[in-house]
Amino acid sequence: MDQPTHHEALRRLEPLVGRWTFEASFPGEDRWPGGGTMSVEWHPSDAHLVQVGTVELPEAPANVSVIGCDGETGRYVQLYSDERGVSRVYEMSFDDGEWRLWRTGQPFDQRFIGVFSEDGDTISARWERSEDGEFVTDFDLVHTRVRD
């Protein structure tokens, strides 16, 4: 029996793969001291991406995410966890140079919007949160691809 596979949907995520540095800032403020890194690599099974993030700010936790998709629908999800013990499941889309994540739940709703530069070497992004149905920017990010 033929079963749909995840390969085509996952291939569309290839622009994420690599090593990235990033700078972050709260709205209207200077950037955070230090910065951070994000690496996105294929899991050995080629069925998932593994995203690892570190931040040079004590209040911001190191984190690991696994990105996968449903082979039938192409629906993406990201399973996030961090060193605080926080785990969340995000819905995800990746279309036309735009990467989005979102979730509804306690203690607040969240969404991430990232836009790739034309050359694919920069992602301009922001995390937003809502406790009352109205989203506000939590912090802004600029990811820059590390070229060897």
Side-chain angles (χ1 to χ4, degrees), residues 49-105:
L49 288 176
V50 178
Q51 176 184 339
V52 177
T54 61
V55 183
E56 298 171 20
L57 185 68
E59 305 89 89
N63 56 79
V64 175
S65 296
V66 176
I67 298 170
C69 69
D70 182 293
E72 173 74 22
T73 65
R75 178 179 153 250
Y76 298 110
V77 294
Q78 181 192 70
L79 177 59
Y80 167 93
S81 63
D82 66 35
E83 64 188 355
R84 301 171 298 178
V86 171
S87 294
R88 296 183 176 137
V89 177
Y90 292 93
E91 297 290 325
M92 185 177 126
S93 65
F94 196 82
D95 297 304
D96 298 323
E98 189 171 87
W99 177 24
R100 289 182 173 260
L101 300 161
W102 64 93
R103 66 177 282 278
T104 302

Side-chain angles (χ1 to χ4, degrees), residues 5-11 13-14 17 41-50 66-69:
T5 66
H6 58 273
H7 296 294
E8 184 178 327
L10 285 175
R11 273 195 301 272
L13 300 179
E14 188 65 35
V17 175
E41 299 177 355
W42 290 106
H43 182 272
S45 69
D46 287 333
H48 304 91
L49 288 176
V50 178
V66 176
I67 298 170
C69 69

